[in-house]
Amino acid sequence: MSLTNTETVATAAGNAAAAPPADRRGGGGSWRGHAERHALLGLLVAVVAFFSLYPDSAQTFFTSSNASMLLGNQSVVALLALAVILPLVTGYFDFSLGAVAALSSVLTAGLMSFHGWSLWAAVAVSVAAGAAIGAVNGLLVTRFGLNSFVTTLGMATLLGGLVQWYTGGQTILAGIDPALPQFGSATWLGLPRVVFIVALATVVLWYLLAHTPFGRRLYAIGSNPRSARLVGVRVDRSAWTTFVMAGALAGVAGVLQLARAGSATADNGTGLLFPALAAAFLGATAVVPGFFNPVGTIIGVLFVSVSVSGLTLSGASSWASPVFNGAALLVAVGLSTYLGRARGVRTG
Amino acid sequence: MTSTETAPVATDVVLRITGMTKRFGATTALDGADLALRAGTVHALVGGNGCGKSTTIKVLAGVHRADAGRIEVAGSVWTAAGYDARAGRAAGLRFVHQDLGLFPELSVAENFALDAGYPAAGPGISWRRLHQRVAGLLEAYEIDASPRTPAGALRPSQRTLVAIARALQDQERDQQLVLVLDEPTATLPQHESQLLLDAVRRRADRGQTVLMVSHRMAEVLSVSDDFTVFRDGRTVATLAGVRPTERQLVDLMSGTATGAATQPAAASAPAGPATAEPAVLEVAGLVGGPLRGVDLAVRRGEIVGVAGLVGSGRTSLLKTVFGQHEPVAGSVRVDGAPAAPGTPARMAAGIAYVPEDRGGEAAFPDLTLRENLSATVLRRYWRPWGMARRRERAEARGLIGAHAVKAASSEVPFAALSGGNQQKAVLARWLRREPQVLLLDEPTQGVDVMSRGDIYRTVRDVAAGGCAVVVASSDLIELYALCDRVVVLRDGRIATEVSGSQLTPDHLTELTQSTAGPVPAPGGTR
Ligand SMILES: Nc1ncnc2c1ncn2[C@@H]1O[C@H](COP(=O)(O)OP(=O)(O)OP(=O)(O)O)[C@@H](O)[C@H]1O
Ligand SMILES: [Mg+2]
C-alpha cells in the first residue's frame, strides 16, 4: 500500500468493535451492551480487590500512600493517553507524542536552568512547542497525505535526537524553579494536585468529543472520511486540529513530568508512549465500546497501572511492566476486533 | 455449446435451503426461508428492502451463521450450525459481491492470480503461462480486454464480468460451480447492465447455475428462469419455469394486490412549475474534469434530469455544483447570488447532494442510524451544556417513520441496515435540511420497487414546496417518471434537452445512445 493518508486505525479498534444492534449509548441497553460497556471497569475493581487480598501485596497495596503515589505517577501517562486518542478518533496515529512530552520536559527545565527564564514563560514556550510539532505532523499527514504511522515515528526519532543534543545527554537538575516540583508533590483533598489537572483534561475532552458538533464530526471522519467530506466536514482541517491539540496536551504532560520528577532526563519518551497507547486501545473497549473515548481511556490507564503496581509489590521483577503493557495492548486490539466480527458489522 | 457437454437436466437441485432462520438481536432477518436452485438456471431472489436477501447470501458465504435451518449443496447436507465459508466453497459456491473486490491498478491477469495463485516457473512467476491462461478465460467470458489491461481501465460491465470470471476460474474440473450475485447491476447504467446480463444468460445457457438478487424487475424478468420471492424473511413464492409478469412479482413482494406501485405515474405528476418561476440554480460555462462548458438553469419547483453515458460527466457536474471539485472556469449561482467555493459554503447556500456511491461516500457504517441522520444538521442540536440527545433521538425516530426506513431502532449501527434502507436514510439526511437545491445521483439504487414510488412522491413534494431538483440517473424510466425536463450530457456539454410530450423513455434512450451506436432499447414498454 502506498503512503497515503487513508490508513484507518479506526478499523483496529474503531469500527471493528462497532455497536451491538441494541441501544448503544446511554439509555437502557441490552444485557450484552451493558456487560461490554462496564467490563473494563469491572476488571479494574477485580484487580484492585485481588491485590488487596493477595498475601504478598496485601500489606502495601491497598494503602492511601500507594494509591496516592500511583495516581500521581500515572498522571503523566494519563495526559499522554488523552492526547493519543485525539488523532486516533479521526483515524490517525501519532507516535511522536511521547517524544513531544520528553522534549517539553527538557525544554521547560533547560529554559529555566540554562537561560534563566521564568517558570511561566518556560512552560508556555514548551506547550507551544508541542502544539507546533503537532501542527507540522498534521500538515504532513493531512495536506501532503503522508502515512501517519511512518511520519510520526520519524518525528519521534528526530525529537529524541534533539533532546540528546539539547541536554548533551545529561539530566537537568539545577536551576529549576522550586515552585514546579512543589506543585508536583503537593496534595489537595488527600490526592496529588496533578490528578486534578488530569481530571480537568478528561472532562474537557469528554465534553469536546461527545457533546460538541466538532467532536461528532471527528468521529464521523474516523468512520468514513469520504462521507464526512460530503456532509460538509472540513476533514483535513479537523484532523490537523487534533494533531495540534494532541501536541499541546503532550506538552503539558511533559511539564507535569518535570513537576513530578523535579529533574529532566534526556529521554526519548517511548517509556511513556506505550502505556498511553495501551490505555487508549483498552479504553476503546469500554464506556462507548468500539470508539476511542476519554473516560474509557482513563479507566484503561488505571487498569494498566494498578495491575503493574500490584505485580511489582508482590515481587515481580522490572520486566513485568513492559510485558504487561504489551500484552494489554495486544489483548485490547484483539478484543475489539473480535467483538466487531462477532456482531457481523463491517470487519474491514 | 461444446459437444462434450450435454444440456443440464433441469430438475436436479444443486442448492437447497430449508427453514433458514437468522436473528440479529431483536430483529428477525430470516424466518424459516426456503430456496431451491435448479442446476443450469438463472434464479432470481427478489423481495422488498430488508426482507433478508443479502442475509441469505451472507449465510451461504459463511459471513453469518444461521440460527436454524438446513443447507444442501451438491448433495452434501449441513445444519445451520455446521456450515461455514469453507464448506460452501468446497461444495462449489462462488460469490461476487457488489464492490467486486478488484484491484483497479493491477492488471486483469494479476487480479486473477491474486485469487488462484501465480503459476510458478522455477523460483519465479511464469507470466507467460499466467497470461495464456487468463487470455483463455477472457475469451470464454467474452471479455474484450487483454490480460495486461489494468482492471480499472475496463468499462463497468466488463469489470463485473472479470470479477465473475475470476470467481469461476477454477471451474475446469467436473464440479459444477454455483455463482451467487448480490445486486450485480444496481450501480450499472442501463445498457451496461444489459451487456452484463446477456453475458450471464449465455453462460447459463451453457450450464452455469446462477443465483441473483436484483430490484430491477425488467432485468430480472428478462434473464431469469426461476424466481423465489421473500417477504419479511419468509419465502412467499417459488416460481420454477414459469414466467410471471412484473405486476405478479410486485404483488407477491408487497403482499398486496394493488400492483399499481410499480407504475411510475408520470401522468399524475404535477404539471411542473410555471415558466415564470425564477431560476434557483444557475450554472454557466462550467469547465473542469470531464465538463467542457455546461450551462444549466433550474427553476423553483422544477425537476430536471441529467442523462448521459458513463463518463459523460453526470456525477462530476453534481459534485462540482456541490463544491467538491473546484471548476477551472464557470460559475454557480443560487438564487441569483454567486455561491462561494467549497462544500460547507454550498451547503449553507441551500444545496444538498445525495451521492451515487452509498457505501463509499454516504455511509458512516459504524456510527448509529441516528448519527448518520444528524450528520448534516449537527449544529442544530448543540447547546452549551452538550448535545440535545433526547431531541436528536426523537427527531431521528420521526424521520425513520416518515421515510419508512426499516430499522430496529435509531441506535442500530448503520451497517446493520439493508442496502435499500440505507439509501432511504441518506435521502432523509438531506431532505431534513429543507434544501433550496437538491442534487440526486442515482437516488433509487438498491431501493425496492414499492419504495421507489414513495421516493418519487417525496421528491415531487419537495419540488412542489419550491425546491429545485436535479436528478442524475442511468435509469431512463426513472428520469421519465420523475422529471419535468431532461438534459442529455455528451462530451462534457449539454447536447440536447427534452420536455413535455417529447420526454419518453424511448426517445431518451435514442438520445443518450446516439453517439454510442445502436443498442436495443431495453424496458420502455409504454
Ligand atoms: N449485521 C446486522 N445486524 C443487525 N441487523 C441486521 C444485520 N444485517 C442485516 N440486518 C437486518 O436484517 C434484515 C434483512 O436484511 P438484508 O440485508 O438481508 O435485507 P435485503 O433483503 O438484502 O434488503 P435490500 O433489498 O435493502 O438490500 C434487515 O432488517 C436488516 O436491518
Ligand atoms: Mg441487500
Side-chain angles (χ1 to χ4, degrees):
Chain A
M1 208 190 238
S2 58
L3 297 185
T4 60
N5 64 358
T6 48
E7 75 269 28
T8 44
V9 253
T11 352
N15 56 37
D23 241 16
R24 191 175 65 196
R25 290 172 195 176
S30 70
W31 176 86
R32 186 172 169 183
H34 266 303
E36 219 172 277
R37 265 199 292 281
H38 304 303
L40 190 62
L41 192 60
L43 222 55
L44 173 63
V45 172
V47 169
V48 170
F50 174 81
F51 286 116
S52 310
L53 300 174
Y54 188 62
D56 287 352
S57 58
Q59 298 298 313
T60 41
F61 181 80
F62 203 69
T63 56
S64 68
S65 70
N66 187 45
S68 173
M69 194 176 72
L70 199 122
L71 290 177
N73 288 345
Q74 288 309 311
S75 56
V76 180
V77 169
L79 269 196
L80 207 55
L82 291 176
V84 162
I85 65 169
L86 278 166
L88 277 177
V89 163
T90 58
Y92 293 107
F93 276 105
D94 189 345
F95 285 140
S96 71
L97 291 171
V100 169
L103 179 86
S104 149
S105 172
V106 162
L107 193 62
T108 312
L111 288 174
M112 289 189 285
S113 173
F114 304 162
H115 308 287
W117 286 35
S118 75
L119 173 61
W120 288 113
V123 167
V125 166
S126 300
V127 173
I133 294 165
V136 172
N137 277 332
L139 207 64
L140 291 175
V141 167
T142 60
R143 173 67 70 80
F144 300 108
L146 305 187
N147 182 300
S148 73
F149 213 95
V150 181
T151 307
T152 58
L153 216 51
M155 183 61 86
T157 315
L158 187 143
L159 294 178
L162 284 183
V163 166
Q164 287 295 326
W165 165 76
Y166 187 64
T167 60
Q170 306 292 310
T171 299
I172 304 172
L173 286 163
I176 297 168
D177 188 336
L180 192 61
Q182 270 162 27
F183 171 79
S185 52
T187 59
W188 192 49
L189 302 176
L191 287 170
R193 279 202 180 176
V194 287
V195 169
F196 294 96
I197 293 191
V198 175
L200 181 69
T202 311
V203 170
V204 169
L205 270 197
W206 168 76
Y207 175 79
L208 193 73
L209 287 177
H211 284 286
T212 62
F214 174 72
R216 292 276 297 269
R217 290 196 195 104
L218 295 184
Y219 283 109
I221 296 172
S223 177
N224 185 347
R226 283 169 69 204
S227 299
R229 196 164 280 132
L230 277 160
V231 291
V233 178
R234 293 187 171 90
V235 172
D236 285 352
R237 190 189 296 183
S238 307
W240 177 81
T241 310
T242 64
F243 276 97
V244 175
M245 293 192 324
L249 204 52
V252 176
V255 174
L256 225 58
Q257 163 94 329
L258 181 63
R260 288 294 293 176
S263 62
T265 32
D267 175 54
N268 61 12
T270 319
L272 291 174
L273 180 67
F274 279 92
L277 269 181
F281 275 87
L282 274 176
T285 66
V287 185
V288 193
F291 296 88
F292 294 98
N293 65 90
V295 179
T297 302
I298 295 302
I299 298 177
V301 170
L302 288 174
F303 175 72
V304 172
S305 59
V306 164
S307 308
V308 169
S309 154
L311 286 173
T312 315
L313 289 178
S314 42
S317 322
S318 55
W319 52 259
S321 158
V323 166
F324 190 86
N325 280 332
L329 186 54
L330 292 176
V331 168
V333 173
L335 194 69
S336 51
T337 308
Y338 167 75
L339 290 173
R341 295 244 163 88
R343 290 193 209 99
V345 175
R346 190 184 76 162
T347 51
Chain B
M1 176 180 280
T2 54
S3 54
T4 52
E5 219 174 282
T6 50
V9 185
T11 48
D12 48 341
V13 170
V14 282
L15 168 67
R16 188 191 294 279
I17 295 170
T18 18
M20 177 107 75
T21 299
K22 173 72 190 166
R23 283 185 205 90
F24 295 101
T27 314
T28 304
L30 288 173
D31 190 10
D34 302 323
L35 178 72
L37 199 58
R38 297 185 301 152
T41 59
V42 175
H43 192 116
L45 176 57
V46 296
N49 292 131
C51 71
K53 302 179 298 292
S54 297
T55 304
T56 305
I57 288 177
K58 285 179 189 161
V59 167
L60 288 175
V63 177
H64 297 318
R65 178 158 291 179
D67 300 319
R70 213 174 71 118
I71 298 170
E72 193 182 325
V73 190
S76 320
V77 182
W78 290 270
T79 59
Y83 184 87
D84 59 16
R86 193 174 299 186
R89 188 168 174 90
L93 299 186
R94 295 291 182 275
F95 301 86
V96 173
H97 299 287
Q98 210 178 69
D99 67 3
L100 303 184
L102 294 179
F103 295 87
E105 67 282 14
L106 297 185
S107 76
V108 169
E110 284 172 291
N111 271 292
F112 275 87
L114 284 174
D115 213 43
Y118 288 87
I125 296 170
S126 168
W127 289 103
R128 199 177 49 81
R129 283 208 348 250
L130 174 64
H131 284 155
Q132 246 169 26
R133 188 168 66 82
V134 171
L137 281 163
L138 291 179
E139 197 179 315
Y141 285 85
E142 304 167 44
I143 302 166
D144 187 18
S146 123
R148 288 185 173 77
T149 324
L154 300 175
R155 55 189 303 171
S157 58
Q158 306 250 296
R159 242 177 279 159
T160 312
L161 277 175
V162 165
I164 290 175
R166 182 178 69 169
L168 297 174
Q169 63 180 317
D170 48 356
Q171 185 152 248
E172 322 286 4
R173 293 158 285 142
D174 50 350
Q175 186 186 25
Q176 266 301 320
L177 297 184
V178 175
L179 176 65
V180 183
L181 304 166
D182 193 355
E183 300 199 41
T185 59
T187 54
L188 293 185
Q190 203 162 347
H191 81 282
E192 289 286 329
S193 81
Q194 199 61 43
L195 292 176
L196 173 66
L197 291 176
D198 289 348
V200 167
R201 186 62 250 175
R202 283 194 293 275
R203 296 299 304 172
D205 291 341
R206 286 192 227 148
Q208 176 69 54
T209 314
V210 182
L211 175 63
M212 185 178 98
V213 173
S214 176
H215 285 297
R216 299 189 177 176
M217 288 303 126
E219 250 170 29
V220 157
L221 286 165
S222 73
V223 75
S224 310
D225 303 292
D226 297 354
F227 302 82
T228 295
V229 184
F230 275 11
R231 195 192 313 141
D232 300 331
R234 288 198 197 97
T235 305
V236 290
T238 308
L239 310 167
V242 294
R243 187 139 299 248
T245 63
E246 179 166 342
R247 173 172 297 214
Q248 281 168 334
L249 273 188
V250 174
D251 284 351
L252 287 167
M253 283 161 62
S254 61
T256 56
T258 59
T262 119
Q263 301 300 325
S268 72
T275 38
E277 289 284 2
V280 179
L281 176 69
E282 289 167 281
V283 175
L286 213 56
V287 178
L291 308 177
R292 307 236 176 83
V294 175
D295 301 295
L296 179 68
V298 186
R299 291 191 299 274
R300 255 177 72 88
E302 193 181 24
I303 305 178
V304 173
V306 182
L309 295 177
V310 199
S312 60
R314 288 173 312 198
T315 296
S316 293
L317 173 61
L318 298 196
K319 280 196 173 172
T320 310
V321 171
F322 193 53
Q324 286 283 304
H325 303 320
E326 199 48 41
V328 178
S331 68
V332 175
R333 288 166 168 273
V334 177
D335 264 340
T343 296
R346 297 285 158 96
M347 280 171 66
I351 307 183
Y353 171 57
V354 174
E356 175 184 25
D357 176 5
R358 180 176 59 234
E361 302 199 313
F364 299 108
D366 49 345
L367 301 188
T368 61
L369 173 56
R370 164 179 57 82
E371 287 164 317
N372 270 274
L373 287 169
S374 326
T376 51
V377 293
L378 282 174
R379 218 170 297 159
R380 262 185 219 174
Y381 295 119
W382 189 73
R383 310 280 180 277
W385 57 91
M387 300 295 283
R389 290 255 171 94
R390 198 173 304 242
R391 192 163 146 229
E392 189 187 349
R393 215 176 274 211
E395 293 186 2
R397 256 183 246 128
L399 286 171
I400 291 169
H403 292 269
V405 179
K406 195 175 159 194
S409 84
S410 65
E411 304 305 302
V412 294
F414 196 65
L417 296 191
S418 81
N421 285 301
Q422 292 184 0
Q423 184 69 21
K424 293 182 205 168
V426 172
L427 190 65
R429 164 204 288 182
W430 284 108
L431 289 181
R432 71 184 307 188
R433 284 179 64 91
E434 296 174 2
Q436 294 247 5
V437 176
L438 178 61
L439 310 173
L440 301 171
D441 204 347
E442 306 289 350
T444 57
Q445 57 165 289
V447 172
D448 67 36
V449 229
M450 292 80 79
S451 313
R452 201 165 297 186
D454 296 340
I455 290 183
Y456 293 163
R457 217 162 299 132
T458 312
V459 172
R460 277 197 210 104
D461 288 348
V462 171
C467 181
V469 183
V470 181
V471 190
S473 178
S474 43
D475 184 348
L476 300 177
I477 312 259
E478 173 159 298
L479 292 179
Y480 159 70
L482 196 51
C483 301
D484 304 313
R485 177 158 70 97
V486 174
V487 298
V488 180
L489 266 187
R490 195 183 303 143
D491 300 329
R493 284 198 182 80
I494 288 176
T496 30
E497 162 174 334
V498 281
S499 57
S501 60
Q502 292 280 80
L503 182 49
T504 64
D506 291 335
H507 189 50
L508 279 177
T509 310
E510 230 168 84
L511 288 173
T512 38
Q513 304 297 322
S514 59
T515 50
V519 169
T525 46
R526 273 156 296 131

